Amino acid sequence: MAYNFVSIAHIVAAVFAIIELGLTAYVASQYNLWWYGYSPSRVNFMIFNSVWSLLVLLYVGVTPLYMTSLFHKLAALVLNALTAVFWFAGSIALAVLVSVYGDCRANTFCGASEAAVVFGFFLWAIFTFLTVLDALESLRSRGHNTGTASTKPHAYPGA
């Protein structure tokens, strides 16, 4: 099976989303374990982003192959754009929270928080790339008949 750029980007985004889910779940569990309270909403939002991204990738990557009647290109474009915005907002918010920690050294909690920020920005870049590709494809095929049956202009009799 030959993979194109979009398929590879979907696979990388799925792997990164699973890594991000693990990192942010670890950070949330450490908040609940050591601070006897709830994890910050920024961390919870990043967990939501990971699950949301996996669901979006399932729709965008698998639905066109197996359930074509449920797939719509405009819906895929909107979902990719919304996911890119979610990742950007969540990564910025988590970066602001992590910047308070300072130097991590051998602290696994702090290191996992910083890694979650980095993977969040990687995922933002991937979903932005996917959004741009989907937007270019939809603009290219918008309102045009892609068939090449009649490419020459026809002369009208008497003209």
Side-chain angles (χ1 to χ4, degrees):
M1 180 176 187
Y3 293 111
N4 56 6
F5 286 122
V6 176
S7 299
I8 293 171
H10 285 153
I11 293 169
V12 170
V15 170
F16 280 8
I18 292 170
I19 292 170
E20 179 74 23
L21 182 62
L23 288 169
T24 52
Y26 172 74
V27 170
S29 72
Q30 291 301 308
Y31 269 108
N32 291 333
L33 179 68
W34 293 107
W35 284 279
Y36 303 110
Y38 298 104
S39 56
S41 59
R42 299 165 185 179
V43 176
N44 296 338
F45 183 65
M46 292 297 275
I47 293 173
F48 164 77
N49 279 347
S50 299
V51 174
W52 170 265
S53 295
L54 290 172
L55 292 174
V56 167
L57 288 169
L58 188 67
Y59 176 76
V60 172
V62 175
T63 305
L65 299 175
Y66 299 110
M67 295 178 280
T68 55
S69 62
L70 297 176
F71 182 75
H72 194 274
K73 287 184 180 182
L74 186 60
L77 174 65
V78 169
L79 287 173
N80 279 333
L82 186 64
T83 306
V85 170
F86 281 171
W87 278 114
F88 185 70
S91 298
I92 292 291
L94 190 61
V96 169
L97 180 69
V98 170
S99 68
V100 177
Y101 299 149
D103 189 21
C104 289
R105 301 206 186 252
N107 187 351
T108 57
F109 169 75
C110 182
S113 300
E114 288 180 345
V117 170
V118 171
F119 276 102
F121 279 115
F122 282 156
L123 280 159
W124 166 70
I126 291 170
F127 277 102
T128 302
F129 172 73
L130 289 172
T131 301
V132 167
L133 287 181
D134 280 350
L136 289 175
E137 180 184 350
S138 68
L139 287 176
R140 203 174 316 136
S141 63
R142 182 185 60 161
H144 299 289
N145 186 3
T146 57
T148 59
S150 61
T151 57
K152 296 180 182 179
H154 297 287
Y156 294 106

